[in-house]
């Protein structure tokens, strides 16, 4: 795999998990990467429209183009397309919020959500990655996993 592509994706991931604008030095430190390489890759990402510089700062942030890509991936995901009508029916009949989540060891990632009229206002959003033991969806998945798999999850969370 191209190291430039790998580094570019690592920069995008670091910026996404950071949750706010980051400077070149900060990105380089977090990723243990050369500052000039970070600057060069950021310039390319800015040119393509995936990264932008907030006015009046020397920092960079992800643009909504990243969200657009993720939204398209989720929209066309085969499980989401299959399950979404069922979630909608469940939310309408129960009044509760219905979710589609999957195991991404040792996390649960939410792929889809349909709000019910009596659902919780601050529940997890699609795209959220939460430790498996900290959500109701994760605990329901844990109930069906073999014991040795659960033990391997525990080891991963301690690392």
């Amino acid at each position: 795999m191209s190291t430039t592509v790998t580094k570019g994706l690592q920069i995008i991931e670091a910026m996404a998990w950071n949750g706010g604008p980051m400077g070149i030095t900060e990105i380089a430190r977090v990723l243990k990467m050369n500052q000039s390489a970070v600057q060069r890759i950021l310039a390319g990402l800015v040119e393509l429209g995936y990264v932008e510089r907030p006015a009046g700062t020397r920092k960079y942030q992800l643009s909504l183009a990243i969200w657009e890509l993720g939204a398209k991936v989720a929209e066309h995901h085969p499980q989401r397309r299959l399950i979404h009508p069922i979630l909608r029916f469940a939310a309408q009949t129960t009044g509760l919020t219905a979710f589609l989540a999957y195991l991404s060891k040792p996390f649960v990632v939410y792929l889809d959500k349909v709000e019910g009229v009596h659902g919780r206002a601050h529940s997890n959003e699609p795209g959220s990655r939460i430790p498996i033991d900290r959500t109701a969806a994760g605990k329901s998945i844990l109930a069906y996993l073999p014991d040795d798999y659960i033990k391997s999850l525990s080891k991963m969370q301690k690392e």
Side-chain angles (χ1 to χ4, degrees):
M1 179 185 289
S2 165
T3 58
T4 304
V5 171
T6 301
K7 288 177 181 178
L9 291 172
Q10 289 172 331
I11 289 170
I12 289 171
E13 287 176 354
M15 293 174 78
W17 291 112
N18 183 62
M22 296 177 77
I24 291 170
T25 304
E26 184 180 8
I27 294 169
R29 182 179 39 77
V30 166
L31 296 175
K32 297 178 178 73
M33 206 180 281
N34 181 295
Q35 285 187 20
S36 62
V38 170
Q39 186 173 17
R40 186 178 64 252
I41 292 166
L42 281 172
L45 292 170
V46 167
E47 188 175 322
L48 292 169
Y50 294 112
V51 172
E52 58 194 16
R53 287 181 72 178
T57 73
R58 297 180 59 160
K59 295 187 175 198
Y60 295 83
Q61 67 186 17
L62 296 176
S63 74
L64 289 177
I66 296 289
W67 174 79
E68 290 175 61
L69 286 176
K72 281 295 174 197
V73 170
E75 178 185 338
H76 298 293
H77 193 280
Q79 282 85 2
R80 185 204 168 272
R81 291 175 62 118
L82 181 69
I83 300 296
H84 188 79
I86 297 167
L87 294 178
R88 202 169 45 243
F89 177 77
Q92 287 170 350
T93 57
T94 66
L96 301 173
T97 301
F99 294 97
L100 170 60
Y102 66 93
L103 176 62
S104 179
K105 195 176 180 180
F107 301 97
V108 168
V109 178
Y110 288 86
L111 183 59
D112 198 4
K113 167 183 167 179
V114 177
E115 293 278 352
V117 293
H118 303 296
R120 295 179 59 200
H122 299 290
S123 57
N124 294 317
E125 292 297 324
S128 297
R129 178 182 294 260
I130 314 286
I132 192 169
D133 60 342
R134 297 200 184 140
T135 69
K139 290 176 182 175
S140 64
I141 291 170
L142 281 171
Y144 292 93
L145 295 175
D147 289 341
D148 58 334
Y149 193 87
I150 293 170
K151 287 176 187 170
S152 73
L153 289 172
S154 300
K155 289 177 187 173
M156 288 181 78
Q157 288 178 335
K158 290 177 185 174
E159 293 174 356

